[in-house]
Amino acid sequence: MSSFYLNSPLDLKNAMQSIQNDVSVQSLMVFVTDKSCTNVTTLIDDLNLLQLPFFGGVFPEIIFENKRQQEGVLIITLDYKVDNYLVKLDDEAEIGNQIEQICDTIQPNANTTWVYVDCFSSNKTVFIESLYQNLGYTFTYVGGGAGSLSFEQIPSVFNNSGIYKNAAILAFATTNFSLGVAHGWSSISENLKVTKTNGNNIISLDWKPAVEVYTTIVEQHSNTKFEEQGFFELAKSYPLGMVKVGGDIIVRDPIMIQDNKLVIVDKVNEGEFVQILNGDMNSLLSGAKNAKLLAHGTSNNKNVFCIDCISRVLYMNDDFQEEIDIIKGNQTLNGVLTIGEIANNSQTFLEIFNKTTVVITW
Amino acid sequence: MVNTIDFNSILLSLIYKISSLKTEEELIKKATPDILKKFNCFAGVVVSFSNNEEKIIIPKNFSNNPKWVSLKEKILSKFQQEQFDKYEIVEDEDNYYYAFRLSKYGLLILVSSQRFEEGSFHEMYNLAEYFGKNLTNAAYGLERSEKDKIIVQQIKLQDLLIQISTKYINADLSDLNTMINQSLKQMGEFVEADRSYIFSYNLTDNTTNNTHEWCAPGIEPEIQNLQNIPIDYIPQWLEAHKKNEAFYIQDVSKLPDEGEFGLRAILEPQGIKSLIAIPMIKSDELIGFVGFDAVKKKHEYSDSEKNILFVFANMLVNVLQRKENEERIKEQEEKKEILLQNLEKQNKELSDYAHAVSHDLKAPLRNINALISWIKEDNLDKFDDQTLASFDMMLQNLEKMDHLIITILDYSSIDKIDTVATNFNLNDVVNDCLKKMEIPTNFKIIVSDALPNVKGNKQRMTQVFQNLVQNAIDYNTSESPLIEIDSTENEEFHTIKIKDNGIGIKKEYIDKIFDSFMKLHNNFNSAGLGLPIAKRIIESKGGKIWVESEENNGSTFYFTIPKN
């Protein structure tokens, strides 16, 4: 694996020359930052000249050689063949059929899939469930939510054929990944029943206005008023969590208040019970350390890649470098900062995470 | 592992999910993945007893798992041979296979690499039983059992509460009474009551009042008869409510006969067969209760129903509290508005008065001045030197008074006379102003040549500079007096700075110098209105004026001019 950071046409030209000269390269993963996504179509046209399969998405930020970058493009070369497929998510009823058809065509020994999905697609959960149902427990899944931090839905996933909105890209390979997933958040509240929702909006918790319940608990715990600090500034330290038996809490990220409703990045179902979580730099970094240990384990994998949640970055700001330093260890870290993370080594049902660190080695 | 509360919450969320699904297909396809997620399993199977058919296998390729293929037969045959009743756990070297009976429908098999805690199996079996009954009913169209009906009833009641609470959250509270009456109707109809009502307690004079009421068709309203009822008539109610408990009579006819003033004697004439009254408590204070009377037939309330009615009572308390708060805020805002209006009126009257008085004083004063001048001129040869000196003093004082009146007139007119705003450059203003002033020759005045362009009343702005520069001249005893005029800006304002190396201002006077008629020094020509006029002009345009100064160390006056 080698990586290229592009911030000018010259960078692209140089990267393409290097890639062309490297016969081991069989596929490319391409991550475009939100701030540099105006010319993705041209980038796709240029990359097609390499005659290599590539896939990727538009993300809030990227990590190139141990540094986060808010602008530019990251290209990761893969020395294995990757077959990638587009899944359109407009019609809920058709998602399963599309995945079924893809399953019929993938190479029989494929055991890994990169998954990049438009994070603002309303059918994201159906897609993830359908993906696991059809692809199964023998696969390792890695990926995340693509899109812009403006929270407006944009064309955000692409492959050789173009860039797409409300869609997902699946890229299959026959490589063994080692995964580490952890977050470092823990509960500060009792269970709160989600009594009314509308899509990704929570209207009421415990039969009371969700915003009132959430802000009261957070203000009490933080000793800070939302009106003083602004919603996101305070809420980024207080995500919601859903408990499960024998597994880590699934984190859900509240991003704003809209019409007196709590807007969450990923759906929380009516009838669920949620807790309000909190963490600090120590607990989050300890989560990152844990993810790194799980991913490295006893393996001597030489490549390390990271899929980390952009809201961890927004929480840590400049201190996020500490998280990068922990994850990279003695290696060089590249990665992408996503809106929702996907990681599963088939020990559990596939789910989308928020505010979570995923470390992948191969 | 999760604690008991979390475990129960997980079960409840799954029960909610199962109860929200109607068809067999929906139940299998939508509830099974959720069960897998919640129990952290990587595979799950629902098998129907009717033909040992696998209704769903998640994920699909688990059906080819060789271990599952061999275990499936083993598990199914165990059930068929009735070797176990509720659940069975089978394990191989990698995974645990948890098989739960889905009532009469079939089996749910969950596959996980982890072993669940022993204590959780019974609860999970109960969940599977509930799932199974729903599947059976959906598949065979059977009547729901009585227990299921209760659960469904509770869920419907929860939904109704959500509906009401959403209305309470979003509604405009101006017509709160109608909203409360509507919710009493909805809740009353739901629990099959014939009358639902709210009473407020007045524990000071020991009475209770019926504030809201809903009656089913054909039931007579009682609200008019139930005002100022002595609490002594219903001691049992109060006793229960003080303990935050419901007052519940399942069957009025079974109450003991306690004579004319007994509870039965009060309820039976109203035709009440059973009733429940839930306390309404606001911050530990008992404020009333919400009640439901069954007139046509008795109604039995389960504990869960009672709990939900408590939630309704809490919602009523919250919405009443919200209304109270809103009214208090509205009242305060109205008071503030009246106060502001009065203040504005008083200011205007005061300003008009000052204007009228100054204006009326001016003419007689000028007449006196003219008369004294004439008398003096006509008698120059008759008056002695002392008399002439007295006449000069009179004329000087008249001039001073005239200056004072002109200044007061000007001060009181700032808000009244304002020409249309124009764009002008402050360097032009400062230059004009300096040309018109008598500046002692030893004064050095440095003016930045980059003062901004602003919009406003040029004449007034000239006055501001005049007053500030004049002050800087008047109160400067330095051997090398210096005045510097400069400006800075931010997004919203230009800030003008006038700095001198004069005598400065004592700390205790800094807050007072912008007050009317405040003179720190006995300057015969000063009316004590220069700085108040400057302040009024600046503030009338949305700016601010302030000073930084130290005695014997000069002063720096700042004022801001909004850019818009």
Side-chain angles (χ1 to χ4, degrees):
Chain A
M1 179 190 98
S2 54
S3 58
F4 298 91
Y5 176 65
L6 322 179
N7 209 8
S8 69
L10 186 63
D11 290 342
L12 174 63
K13 192 181 154 204
N14 292 339
M16 284 176 66
Q17 271 173 0
S18 301
I19 292 166
Q20 214 155 21
N21 294 334
D22 184 349
V23 289
S24 69
V25 178
Q26 295 197 46
S27 320
L28 306 174
M29 269 200 301
V30 184
F31 305 100
V32 179
T33 56
D34 181 12
K35 283 187 182 162
S36 307
C37 74
T38 45
N39 281 321
V40 181
T41 317
T42 315
L43 177 71
I44 292 169
D45 289 344
D46 290 340
L47 290 175
N48 270 325
L49 297 173
L50 291 169
Q51 294 186 320
L52 286 169
F54 63 84
F55 62 95
V58 176
F59 296 91
E61 294 185 20
I62 51 180
I63 299 169
F64 173 69
E65 291 184 351
N66 311 328
K67 295 278 172 215
R68 59 184 268 231
Q69 302 288 346
Q70 293 172 304
E71 290 177 21
V73 176
L74 172 68
I75 298 181
I76 303 285
T77 64
L78 303 172
D79 54 5
Y80 49 83
K81 190 170 169 275
V82 173
D83 296 327
N84 70 70
Y85 298 87
L86 178 79
V87 181
K88 291 187 176 170
L89 305 180
D90 301 311
D91 183 356
E92 181 183 335
E94 276 305 305
I95 294 171
N97 294 338
Q98 289 180 69
I99 297 173
E100 244 175 85
Q101 282 170 17
I102 291 169
C103 289
D104 292 341
T105 59
I106 57 175
Q107 41 189 319
N109 53 348
N111 59 356
T112 298
T113 180
W114 295 93
V115 186
Y116 293 109
V117 56
D118 179 343
C119 72
F120 296 112
S121 170
S122 55
N123 288 323
K124 193 168 44 170
T125 312
V126 177
F127 164 69
I128 293 292
E129 280 187 8
S130 207
L131 181 63
Y132 187 72
Q133 169 66 336
N134 285 289
L135 215 53
Y137 70 103
T138 50
F139 268 80
T140 300
Y141 303 79
V142 177
S148 162
L149 258 194
S150 67
F151 300 125
E152 278 174 30
Q153 196 175 15
I154 56 167
S156 60
V157 293
F158 57 83
N159 61 8
N160 298 63
S161 64
I163 181 162
Y164 303 90
K165 189 173 168 180
N166 204 16
I169 293 279
L170 296 172
F172 297 96
T174 53
T175 305
N176 289 321
F177 282 169
S178 184
L179 284 187
V181 185
H183 52 67
W185 303 93
S186 54
S187 172
I188 57 146
S189 81
E190 293 179 344
N191 286 306
L192 303 164
K193 182 165 181 172
V194 179
T195 38
K196 185 83 180 168
T197 63
N198 181 11
N200 286 11
N201 301 338
I202 302 182
I203 299 169
S204 66
L205 289 168
D206 280 352
W207 294 277
K208 289 179 219 151
V211 172
E212 187 188 309
V213 174
Y214 176 77
T215 52
T216 305
I217 295 171
V218 171
E219 286 182 347
Q220 209 169 7
H221 187 268
S222 63
N223 216 10
T224 312
K225 296 272 176 206
F226 273 95
E227 58 195 33
E228 285 164 11
Q229 206 164 343
F231 180 80
F232 192 72
E233 273 306 300
L234 192 50
K236 68 186 183 185
S237 318
Y238 289 91
L240 302 179
M242 297 181 291
V243 283
K244 54 185 196 174
V245 178
D248 209 353
I249 294 173
I250 302 286
V251 185
R252 288 288 174 260
D253 206 357
I255 47 172
M256 63 173 109
I257 291 175
Q258 204 171 49
D259 303 329
N260 209 27
K261 294 166 195 154
L262 204 54
V263 183
I264 313 293
V265 172
D266 280 288
K267 203 174 171 184
V268 176
N269 288 329
E270 212 166 279
E272 271 281 359
F273 284 82
V274 292
Q275 298 173 345
I276 294 175
L277 311 180
N278 182 236
D280 54 26
M281 273 303 290
N282 284 339
S283 69
L284 264 63
L285 291 178
S286 140
K289 200 173 178 180
N290 194 15
K292 181 205 165 186
L293 288 173
L294 289 167
H296 285 275
T298 51
S299 73
N300 289 318
N301 288 342
K302 58 179 182 177
N303 297 309
V304 57
F305 190 78
C306 159
I307 292 172
D308 212 328
C309 185
I310 186 65
S311 72
R312 285 174 79 88
V313 180
L314 298 177
Y315 175 79
M316 297 189 197
N317 295 317
D318 292 342
D319 294 335
F320 183 70
Q321 188 58 43
E322 285 186 49
E323 177 145 313
I324 292 178
D325 292 340
I326 286 173
I327 297 169
K328 78 178 175 64
N330 298 324
Q331 290 166 295
T332 301
L333 182 70
N334 293 298
V336 60
L337 300 172
T338 54
I339 307 174
E341 298 71 56
I342 297 165
N344 186 307
N345 52 8
S346 290
Q347 290 297 301
T348 60
F349 198 94
L350 186 62
E351 282 191 85
I352 295 184
F353 306 122
N354 290 166
K355 282 187 181 289
T356 298
T357 304
V358 178
V359 182
I360 307 132
T361 63
W362 69 92
Chain B
M1 272 298 182
V2 291
N3 61 38
T4 316
I5 297 171
D6 289 346
F7 187 76
N8 287 338
S9 300
I10 288 167
L11 294 177
L12 278 173
S13 67
L14 291 170
I15 285 174
Y16 184 94
K17 177 83 178 194
I18 291 165
S19 65
S20 69
L21 302 169
K22 290 189 172 58
T23 65
E24 183 188 8
E25 192 185 349
E26 264 185 344
L27 277 160
I28 289 172
K29 282 193 175 165
K30 293 187 176 171
T32 318
D34 275 19
I35 295 172
L36 261 63
K37 283 182 204 170
K38 287 294 177 193
F39 291 107
N40 220 23
C41 297
F42 69 87
V45 185
V46 172
V47 182
S48 163
F49 281 148
S50 65
N51 49 5
N52 283 351
E53 181 194 1
E54 289 152 336
K55 289 285 187 181
I56 193 166
I57 298 185
I58 300 175
K60 282 179 184 170
N61 61 357
F62 186 69
S63 61
N64 305 324
N65 181 312
K67 284 174 189 164
W68 161 245
V69 174
S70 66
L71 276 169
K72 179 185 157 190
E73 292 310 318
K74 193 172 156 188
I75 291 170
L76 280 175
S77 67
K78 269 200 165 191
F79 266 97
Q80 279 153 4
Q81 290 162 27
E82 295 185 350
Q83 287 178 347
F84 64 87
D85 183 30
K86 294 176 177 174
Y87 55 85
E88 178 76 16
I89 304 151
V90 181
E91 62 183 288
D92 63 20
E93 58 273 29
D94 298 321
N95 298 310
Y96 296 92
Y97 301 77
Y98 303 95
F100 294 95
R101 183 187 276 276
L102 288 170
S103 191
K104 294 170 189 161
Y105 182 85
L107 292 177
L108 168 70
I109 295 112
L110 303 175
V111 190
S112 172
S113 57
Q114 295 172 335
R115 184 173 173 87
F116 298 151
E117 276 184 14
E118 287 299 327
S120 58
F121 295 125
H122 186 71
E123 303 298 334
M124 288 175 74
Y125 163 72
N126 283 340
L127 174 76
E129 179 73 7
Y130 182 69
F131 187 26
K133 280 185 181 174
N134 278 267
L135 279 167
T136 311
N137 293 342
Y140 308 111
L142 296 178
E143 276 291 305
R144 287 176 189 270
S145 71
E146 206 51 38
K147 197 174 166 188
D148 288 348
K149 274 186 187 167
I150 291 168
I151 292 170
V152 169
Q153 176 84 349
Q154 283 165 11
I155 287 162
K156 279 184 183 167
L157 193 49
Q158 280 186 10
D159 285 345
L160 179 60
L161 274 184
I162 291 165
Q163 222 183 75
I164 293 172
S165 75
T166 311
K167 199 190 272 179
Y168 281 4
I169 293 160
N170 298 323
D172 169 13
L173 296 184
S174 57
D175 197 9
L176 179 66
N177 288 337
T178 311
M179 208 160 68
I180 289 179
N181 285 335
Q182 275 172 357
S183 57
L184 279 179
K185 176 178 186 279
Q186 283 175 295
M187 290 298 286
E189 283 176 345
F190 193 86
V191 298
E192 295 176 325
D194 301 293
R195 189 186 292 127
S196 52
Y197 43 80
I198 296 171
F199 275 71
S200 65
Y201 276 128
N202 184 339
L203 297 179
T204 316
D205 62 7
N206 261 345
T207 57
T208 178
N209 283 297
N210 190 180
T211 58
H212 300 80
E213 183 187 40
W214 164 80
C215 294
I219 303 296
E220 284 299 312
E222 291 285 341
I223 190 163
Q224 299 299 336
N225 306 326
L226 296 171
Q227 300 301 317
N228 296 314
I229 305 294
I231 292 177
D232 297 345
Y233 283 15
I234 49 167
Q236 304 96 321
W237 302 43
L238 187 64
E239 203 180 311
H241 290 167
K242 275 185 174 170
K243 287 190 266 179
N244 196 16
E245 287 171 4
F247 178 70
Y248 174 38
I249 300 170
Q250 198 179 323
D251 189 347
V252 171
S253 67
K254 287 184 182 161
L255 283 173
D257 190 353
E258 292 169 326
E260 192 183 348
F261 300 107
L263 192 56
R264 190 166 157 184
I266 294 172
L267 299 177
E268 272 187 338
Q270 296 178 54
I272 298 169
K273 290 194 170 62
S274 60
L275 75 82
I276 189 163
I278 313 287
M280 288 164 58
I281 292 174
K282 182 179 86 179
S283 319
D284 292 336
E285 183 199 350
L286 179 62
I287 60 165
F289 60 87
V290 53
F292 301 88
D293 290 351
V295 176
K296 289 175 189 153
K297 60 176 187 181
K298 290 193 293 271
H299 186 95
E300 196 176 327
Y301 291 90
S302 67
D303 284 345
S304 307
E305 264 184 317
K306 280 186 215 162
N307 287 340
I308 290 168
L309 292 178
F310 267 92
V311 175
F312 176 59
N314 276 339
M315 276 164 42
L316 286 169
V317 172
N318 287 342
V319 75
L320 288 168
Q321 172 92 57
R322 201 180 126 203
K323 170 85 172 167
E324 207 175 279
N325 290 345
E326 278 190 9
E327 276 173 357
R328 199 177 303 139
I329 291 167
K330 202 175 154 195
E331 200 179 308
Q332 280 166 352
E333 274 174 0
E334 278 170 4
K335 273 186 191 165
K336 197 171 127 193
E337 186 60 27
I338 291 169
L339 212 62
L340 280 174
Q341 279 172 4
N342 284 342
L343 203 63
E344 203 176 318
K345 197 178 158 198
Q346 279 172 9
N347 272 342
K348 189 176 179 301
E349 281 171 2
L350 201 64
S351 174
D352 288 349
Y353 179 71
H355 189 264
V357 169
S358 318
H359 191 265
D360 292 350
L361 276 177
K362 244 175 119 176
L365 198 68
R366 293 214 167 134
N367 287 342
I368 294 169
N369 189 311
L371 286 169
I372 290 174
S373 299
W374 292 342
I375 292 169
K376 187 188 156 196
E377 278 168 25
D378 291 350
N379 296 286
L380 273 176
D381 49 346
K382 293 174 192 163
F383 290 159
D384 58 18
D385 286 350
Q386 200 180 344
T387 313
L388 285 174
S390 299
F391 267 86
D392 284 342
M393 273 178 68
M394 269 197 275
L395 286 169
Q396 270 180 14
N397 273 303
L398 280 170
E399 258 177 47
K400 185 184 167 189
M401 200 182 282
D402 187 48
H403 175 67
L404 186 63
I405 288 169
I406 288 169
T407 317
I408 293 174
L409 251 174
D410 188 32
Y411 181 68
S412 62
S413 309
I414 288 170
D415 297 337
K416 292 194 179 81
I417 313 157
D418 212 350
T419 52
V420 177
T422 55
N423 289 311
F424 53 88
N425 179 268
L426 285 184
N427 276 104
D428 296 343
V429 169
V430 173
N431 290 337
D432 286 353
C433 166
L434 295 178
K435 270 182 211 163
K436 285 178 196 161
M437 293 175 74
E438 282 181 25
I439 300 164
T441 49
N442 62 332
F443 267 73
K444 190 176 178 187
I445 301 184
I446 302 171
V447 183
S448 155
D449 55 7
L451 295 182
N453 290 322
V454 297
K455 193 175 181 182
N457 182 328
K458 190 176 178 184
Q459 194 190 332
R460 290 290 182 204
M461 193 51 71
T462 309
Q463 218 175 340
V464 172
F465 277 102
Q466 246 166 5
N467 290 350
L468 295 175
V469 173
Q470 192 63 55
N471 266 11
I473 293 170
D474 288 347
Y475 304 107
N476 199 324
T477 55
S478 163
E479 284 177 5
S480 315
L482 175 66
I483 301 171
E484 292 168 90
I485 303 176
D486 199 358
S487 72
T488 55
E489 65 177 315
N490 62 19
E491 275 182 14
E492 293 173 56
F493 294 101
H494 294 291
T495 302
I496 314 298
K497 180 171 101 173
I498 299 174
K499 184 180 178 188
D500 66 55
N501 60 348
I503 60 173
I505 304 164
K506 279 186 180 175
K507 202 177 169 187
E508 60 263 39
Y509 294 125
I510 281 191
D511 291 341
K512 296 178 182 165
I513 58 161
F514 292 104
D515 293 350
S516 305
F517 307 109
M518 184 70 198
K519 290 204 289 184
L520 302 184
H521 303 278
N522 193 14
N523 183 338
F524 183 80
N525 292 319
S526 166
L529 281 170
L531 290 179
I533 285 175
K535 182 176 187 235
R536 203 156 172 190
I537 292 170
I538 294 301
E539 287 184 349
S540 71
K541 297 298 165 207
K544 270 192 206 168
I545 185 165
W546 69 99
V547 64
E548 288 170 4
S549 180
E550 211 178 294
E551 193 176 15
N552 300 323
N553 226 348
S555 304
T556 307
F557 282 83
Y558 297 90
F559 64 88
T560 59
I561 306 168
K563 286 186 171 175
N564 295 317

